[in-house]
Amino acid sequence: MLKSVVLYYFSPTGGTKKVAETFASRLSKKVDLVDLGEKKLLRKNTENDLAVVAAPVFGGRIPSLAADKIKTLDGTGKKAVSLVVYGTRAYEDALLELNDALRESHFQIIASGDFVAQHSIVPDVGKGRPDSRDIEEIRAFADHVLDKIGRLEQEGAEEKEIKVPGSRPYKTAMKITDTPISTSSCTLCGRCAEVCPTGAIYIDGNELTTDVRKCILCMSCTHVCPENARVLPKALQEGDDKMLSPLIGVYRENETFY
Ligand SMILES: Cc1cc2nc3c(=O)[nH]c(=O)nc-3n(C[C@H](O)[C@H](O)[C@H](O)COP(=O)(O)O)c2cc1C
Protein backbone atom coordinates (compact mmCIF):
# COMPACT_ATOMS: atom_id res chain seq x y z
CA MET A 1 0.00 0.00 0.00
CA LEU A 2 1.04 3.61 -0.54
CA LYS A 3 1.53 6.07 2.33
CA SER A 4 -0.96 8.56 0.92
CA VAL A 5 -2.93 9.33 -2.21
CA VAL A 6 -4.64 12.53 -3.27
CA LEU A 7 -7.92 12.09 -5.09
CA TYR A 8 -9.07 14.94 -7.34
CA TYR A 9 -12.61 14.28 -8.51
CA PHE A 10 -15.67 15.90 -10.02
CA SER A 11 -18.82 13.96 -9.28
CA PRO A 12 -22.12 15.83 -9.47
CA THR A 13 -24.25 12.78 -8.70
CA GLY A 14 -21.79 10.48 -6.92
CA GLY A 15 -20.97 7.79 -9.51
CA THR A 16 -17.50 9.06 -10.31
CA LYS A 17 -16.72 9.51 -6.63
CA LYS A 18 -17.78 5.95 -5.83
CA VAL A 19 -15.53 4.49 -8.54
CA ALA A 20 -12.59 6.73 -7.66
CA GLU A 21 -12.82 6.26 -3.88
CA THR A 22 -13.03 2.48 -4.29
CA PHE A 23 -9.87 2.65 -6.38
CA ALA A 24 -7.95 5.10 -4.19
CA SER A 25 -8.80 3.39 -0.89
CA ARG A 26 -7.36 0.14 -2.23
CA LEU A 27 -4.07 1.98 -2.87
CA SER A 28 -3.74 3.68 0.50
CA LYS A 29 -5.40 4.04 3.91
CA LYS A 30 -4.84 7.79 3.65
CA VAL A 31 -6.84 9.35 0.81
CA ASP A 32 -6.89 13.13 0.66
CA LEU A 33 -10.11 14.14 -1.16
CA VAL A 34 -10.21 17.25 -3.33
CA ASP A 35 -13.60 18.03 -4.89
CA LEU A 36 -13.07 19.81 -8.21
CA GLY A 37 -16.75 20.83 -8.09
CA GLU A 38 -16.26 23.07 -5.08
CA LYS A 39 -16.37 26.76 -5.82
CA LYS A 40 -13.37 27.61 -3.65
CA LEU A 41 -9.85 27.51 -5.04
CA LEU A 42 -7.94 24.26 -5.03
CA ARG A 43 -5.32 23.52 -2.45
CA LYS A 44 -2.00 23.04 -4.12
CA ASN A 45 1.13 21.06 -3.44
CA THR A 46 -0.29 18.34 -1.21
CA GLU A 47 2.40 15.81 -0.35
CA ASN A 48 1.47 12.33 -1.50
CA ASP A 49 2.74 9.30 -3.35
CA LEU A 50 0.20 9.40 -6.17
CA ALA A 51 -2.58 11.56 -7.61
CA VAL A 52 -5.80 9.87 -8.74
CA VAL A 53 -7.80 12.16 -11.01
CA ALA A 54 -11.38 11.27 -11.89
CA ALA A 55 -14.01 12.94 -14.07
CA PRO A 56 -17.41 12.02 -15.49
CA VAL A 57 -18.05 11.90 -19.23
CA PHE A 58 -20.37 14.58 -20.59
CA GLY A 59 -21.04 14.40 -24.32
CA GLY A 60 -17.94 12.29 -24.94
CA ARG A 61 -15.71 14.85 -23.21
CA ILE A 62 -14.76 15.72 -19.64
CA PRO A 63 -16.55 18.78 -18.25
CA SER A 64 -14.46 21.89 -18.99
CA LEU A 65 -14.74 22.91 -15.35
CA ALA A 66 -12.77 19.79 -14.40
CA ALA A 67 -10.27 20.13 -17.26
CA ASP A 68 -9.60 23.78 -16.40
CA LYS A 69 -8.99 23.03 -12.71
CA ILE A 70 -6.73 20.06 -13.49
CA LYS A 71 -4.62 22.33 -15.68
CA THR A 72 -3.95 24.61 -12.68
CA LEU A 73 -2.33 21.76 -10.69
CA ASP A 74 1.42 21.30 -10.56
CA GLY A 75 2.23 17.67 -11.28
CA THR A 76 5.96 18.12 -11.72
CA GLY A 77 7.70 14.98 -10.48
CA LYS A 78 4.36 13.35 -9.55
CA LYS A 79 2.70 10.21 -10.75
CA ALA A 80 -1.00 10.14 -11.65
CA VAL A 81 -3.73 7.66 -12.54
CA SER A 82 -6.63 8.99 -14.63
CA LEU A 83 -10.18 7.64 -14.47
CA VAL A 84 -13.26 8.56 -16.47
CA VAL A 85 -16.71 7.37 -15.53
CA TYR A 86 -19.50 7.17 -18.07
CA GLY A 87 -23.10 6.13 -18.40
CA THR A 88 -22.88 3.13 -20.80
CA ARG A 89 -23.27 5.13 -24.03
CA ALA A 90 -19.60 5.95 -24.83
CA TYR A 91 -16.62 7.83 -23.42
CA GLU A 92 -15.24 8.91 -26.81
CA ASP A 93 -12.50 11.55 -26.30
CA ALA A 94 -12.90 11.96 -22.54
CA LEU A 95 -9.99 9.82 -21.35
CA LEU A 96 -7.63 11.29 -23.93
CA GLU A 97 -8.72 14.80 -22.93
CA LEU A 98 -8.16 14.03 -19.24
CA ASN A 99 -4.71 12.64 -19.99
CA ASP A 100 -3.83 15.67 -22.13
CA ALA A 101 -4.84 17.97 -19.24
CA LEU A 102 -2.69 15.95 -16.82
CA ARG A 103 0.28 16.07 -19.17
CA GLU A 104 -0.17 19.83 -19.52
CA SER A 105 0.19 19.97 -15.72
CA HIS A 106 3.36 17.85 -16.01
CA PHE A 107 2.00 14.73 -14.29
CA GLN A 108 3.50 11.39 -15.25
CA ILE A 109 0.51 9.18 -16.10
CA ILE A 110 1.14 5.60 -15.05
CA ALA A 111 -2.32 4.10 -15.65
CA SER A 112 -5.76 5.03 -16.95
CA GLY A 113 -9.21 3.49 -16.83
CA ASP A 114 -12.77 3.98 -17.96
CA PHE A 115 -15.57 2.67 -15.78
CA VAL A 116 -19.33 2.54 -16.02
CA ALA A 117 -21.79 4.11 -13.58
CA GLN A 118 -25.55 4.55 -13.67
CA HIS A 119 -26.53 7.24 -16.18
CA SER A 120 -27.28 10.43 -14.26
CA ILE A 121 -29.99 11.59 -16.72
CA VAL A 122 -31.57 8.21 -17.52
CA PRO A 123 -30.91 6.03 -14.43
CA ASP A 124 -32.40 2.90 -16.01
CA VAL A 125 -29.29 2.85 -18.20
CA GLY A 126 -26.49 1.12 -16.29
CA LYS A 127 -28.81 0.85 -13.29
CA GLY A 128 -27.01 0.05 -10.06
CA ARG A 129 -23.52 0.42 -11.50
CA PRO A 130 -20.87 0.39 -10.25
CA ASP A 131 -22.07 -3.02 -9.01
CA SER A 132 -20.21 -5.71 -7.05
CA ARG A 133 -18.47 -6.98 -10.21
CA ASP A 134 -17.32 -3.44 -11.03
CA ILE A 135 -16.01 -3.02 -7.48
CA GLU A 136 -13.94 -6.20 -7.85
CA GLU A 137 -12.55 -4.97 -11.18
CA ILE A 138 -11.70 -1.55 -9.75
CA ARG A 139 -9.83 -3.19 -6.85
CA ALA A 140 -7.99 -5.55 -9.21
CA PHE A 141 -6.95 -2.54 -11.29
CA ALA A 142 -5.62 -0.84 -8.13
CA ASP A 143 -3.58 -3.97 -7.34
CA HIS A 144 -2.04 -3.86 -10.84
CA VAL A 145 -1.19 -0.19 -10.32
CA LEU A 146 0.50 -1.00 -6.99
CA ASP A 147 2.55 -3.70 -8.73
CA LYS A 148 3.48 -1.26 -11.46
CA ILE A 149 4.59 1.39 -8.95
CA GLY A 150 6.73 -1.27 -7.25
CA ARG A 151 8.32 -2.17 -10.59
CA LEU A 152 8.96 1.47 -11.50
CA GLU A 153 10.71 2.02 -8.19
CA GLN A 154 13.13 -0.78 -8.93
CA GLU A 155 16.11 0.50 -10.73
CA GLY A 156 16.11 0.08 -14.47
CA ALA A 157 12.35 -0.43 -14.77
CA GLU A 158 11.28 0.71 -18.22
CA GLU A 159 8.39 3.11 -18.54
CA LYS A 160 6.16 3.39 -21.55
CA GLU A 161 3.60 6.04 -22.35
CA ILE A 162 -0.01 5.10 -21.61
CA LYS A 163 -2.04 5.13 -24.82
CA VAL A 164 -5.82 5.52 -24.59
CA PRO A 165 -8.61 5.70 -27.18
CA GLY A 166 -9.86 9.05 -28.44
CA SER A 167 -8.86 11.54 -31.08
CA ARG A 168 -7.86 15.18 -31.48
CA PRO A 169 -9.42 17.59 -32.14
CA TYR A 170 -11.88 16.35 -29.56
CA LYS A 171 -15.57 15.98 -30.25
CA THR A 172 -17.35 19.39 -30.20
CA ALA A 173 -18.50 20.23 -26.67
CA MET A 174 -22.19 19.79 -25.85
CA LYS A 175 -24.33 22.85 -26.40
CA ILE A 176 -26.51 23.70 -23.41
CA THR A 177 -29.78 25.32 -24.39
CA ASP A 178 -31.91 24.30 -21.39
CA THR A 179 -31.41 23.93 -17.64
CA PRO A 180 -33.13 21.94 -14.90
CA ILE A 181 -36.22 23.68 -13.57
CA SER A 182 -37.85 23.79 -10.13
CA THR A 183 -41.42 22.52 -9.80
CA SER A 184 -44.07 23.79 -7.40
CA SER A 185 -42.77 21.50 -4.62
CA CYS A 186 -39.64 23.66 -4.36
CA THR A 187 -39.34 25.12 -0.84
CA LEU A 188 -36.51 27.51 -1.78
CA CYS A 189 -34.23 25.73 0.72
CA GLY A 190 -31.22 26.71 -1.37
CA ARG A 191 -29.43 23.33 -1.40
CA CYS A 192 -29.36 23.38 -5.22
CA ALA A 193 -27.72 26.81 -5.32
CA GLU A 194 -25.19 25.67 -2.70
CA VAL A 195 -24.03 22.60 -4.64
CA CYS A 196 -24.15 24.07 -8.15
CA PRO A 197 -20.47 23.98 -9.18
CA THR A 198 -20.79 26.92 -11.54
CA GLY A 199 -22.96 29.23 -9.42
CA ALA A 200 -25.75 29.13 -12.02
CA ILE A 201 -28.66 29.12 -9.54
CA TYR A 202 -29.87 32.28 -7.82
CA ILE A 203 -32.58 32.74 -5.21
CA ASP A 204 -34.00 36.20 -4.88
CA GLY A 205 -36.93 36.47 -2.49
CA ASN A 206 -39.49 33.95 -3.71
CA GLU A 207 -37.86 33.47 -7.06
CA LEU A 208 -35.32 30.89 -8.16
CA THR A 209 -33.58 31.41 -11.48
CA THR A 210 -31.01 29.35 -13.36
CA ASP A 211 -28.53 30.99 -15.72
CA VAL A 212 -28.38 28.92 -18.92
CA ARG A 213 -25.02 30.51 -19.80
CA LYS A 214 -23.48 29.04 -16.64
CA CYS A 215 -25.36 25.73 -16.31
CA ILE A 216 -23.40 22.64 -17.44
CA LEU A 217 -26.37 20.29 -16.93
CA CYS A 218 -24.35 18.27 -14.44
CA MET A 219 -27.46 17.20 -12.47
CA SER A 220 -25.98 18.02 -9.05
CA CYS A 221 -29.03 20.19 -8.30
CA THR A 222 -31.57 17.52 -9.26
CA HIS A 223 -29.60 14.94 -7.27
CA VAL A 224 -29.41 16.97 -4.06
CA CYS A 225 -32.98 18.34 -3.97
CA PRO A 226 -34.68 16.96 -0.84
CA GLU A 227 -38.14 17.49 -2.36
CA ASN A 228 -37.36 15.98 -5.78
CA ALA A 229 -38.53 19.34 -7.07
CA ARG A 230 -35.60 19.92 -9.40
CA VAL A 231 -36.12 18.19 -12.75
CA LEU A 232 -35.18 18.48 -16.39
CA PRO A 233 -37.78 20.16 -18.61
CA LYS A 234 -40.18 17.50 -19.96
CA ALA A 235 -39.06 17.72 -23.59
CA LEU A 236 -35.39 17.40 -22.70
CA GLN A 237 -35.97 14.44 -20.35
CA GLU A 238 -38.18 12.69 -22.89
CA GLY A 239 -35.66 13.29 -25.66
CA ASP A 240 -32.85 11.75 -23.58
CA ASP A 241 -35.08 8.86 -22.45
CA LYS A 242 -35.84 8.08 -26.08
CA MET A 243 -32.24 8.41 -27.26
CA LEU A 244 -30.84 6.25 -24.47
CA SER A 245 -33.61 3.65 -24.05
CA PRO A 246 -31.88 1.17 -26.44
CA LEU A 247 -29.08 1.01 -23.85
CA ILE A 248 -31.31 -0.21 -21.03
CA GLY A 249 -29.99 -3.68 -20.11
CA VAL A 250 -26.71 -3.21 -22.01
CA TYR A 251 -23.71 -4.16 -19.85
CA ARG A 252 -20.68 -2.22 -21.07
CA GLU A 253 -17.31 -3.53 -19.85
CA ASN A 254 -14.79 -1.41 -17.96
CA GLU A 255 -11.35 -0.94 -19.51
CA THR A 256 -7.94 -0.32 -18.03
CA PHE A 257 -4.62 0.76 -19.52
CA TYR A 258 -1.35 0.42 -17.61
C1 LIG B 1 -24.84 16.35 -19.38
C2 LIG B 1 -24.47 14.90 -19.34
C3 LIG B 1 -23.85 14.32 -20.43
C4 LIG B 1 -23.52 12.96 -20.42
N1 LIG B 1 -22.88 12.42 -21.50
C5 LIG B 1 -22.55 11.11 -21.50
C6 LIG B 1 -21.88 10.53 -22.61
O1 LIG B 1 -21.49 11.20 -23.56
N2 LIG B 1 -21.66 9.19 -22.60
C7 LIG B 1 -22.04 8.40 -21.54
O2 LIG B 1 -21.85 7.20 -21.62
N3 LIG B 1 -22.61 8.94 -20.43
C8 LIG B 1 -22.88 10.27 -20.39
N4 LIG B 1 -23.46 10.83 -19.28
C9 LIG B 1 -23.65 9.99 -18.08
C10 LIG B 1 -22.54 10.24 -17.05
O3 LIG B 1 -21.27 10.16 -17.64
C11 LIG B 1 -22.61 9.24 -15.91
O4 LIG B 1 -23.90 9.14 -15.39
C12 LIG B 1 -21.62 9.56 -14.79
O5 LIG B 1 -21.68 8.54 -13.84
C13 LIG B 1 -21.95 10.87 -14.12
O6 LIG B 1 -21.02 11.10 -13.10
P1 LIG B 1 -21.44 11.38 -11.58
O7 LIG B 1 -22.30 10.19 -11.14
O8 LIG B 1 -20.15 11.44 -10.86
O9 LIG B 1 -22.23 12.64 -11.58
C14 LIG B 1 -23.81 12.17 -19.27
C15 LIG B 1 -24.42 12.77 -18.17
C16 LIG B 1 -24.75 14.11 -18.19
C17 LIG B 1 -25.38 14.73 -16.98
Side-chain angles (χ1 to χ4, degrees), residues 11-13 15-16 56-60 85-90 117-120 217:
S11 187
T13 68
T16 307
V57 176
F58 284 5
V85 176
Y86 70 109
T88 298
R89 191 191 65 78
Q118 181 166 301
H119 201 291
S120 51
L217 223 52

Side-chain angles (χ1 to χ4, degrees), residues 10-18 55-61 85-92 115-121 129 171 174 176 216-220 240 244 247:
F10 180 46
S11 187
T13 68
T16 307
K17 188 176 182 206
K18 186 164 183 196
V57 176
F58 284 5
R61 303 276 305 271
V85 176
Y86 70 109
T88 298
R89 191 191 65 78
Y91 66 91
E92 292 165 303
F115 292 90
V116 179
Q118 181 166 301
H119 201 291
S120 51
I121 296 181
R129 295 189 74 183
K171 193 178 172 184
M174 265 179 357
I176 310 286
I216 58 169
L217 223 52
C218 72
M219 309 300 282
S220 59
D240 283 350
L244 296 173
L247 294 172

Side-chain angles (χ1 to χ4, degrees), residues 22-23 26-27 115 132-148 256 258:
T22 301
F23 177 74
R26 181 78 167 196
L27 297 174
F115 292 90
S132 54
R133 179 173 149 198
D134 293 315
I135 301 295
E136 285 312 308
E137 288 182 15
I138 295 163
R139 289 185 181 144
F141 177 44
D143 293 343
H144 286 302
V145 168
L146 285 175
D147 284 350
K148 178 165 183 181
T256 55
Y258 55 92

Side-chain angles (χ1 to χ4, degrees), residues 232-252:
L232 287 182
K234 200 162 177 268
L236 181 57
Q237 183 66 57
E238 285 178 356
D240 283 350
D241 286 347
K242 194 163 173 228
M243 179 179 75
L244 296 173
S245 65
L247 294 172
I248 295 173
V250 170
Y251 199 94
R252 197 80 76 208

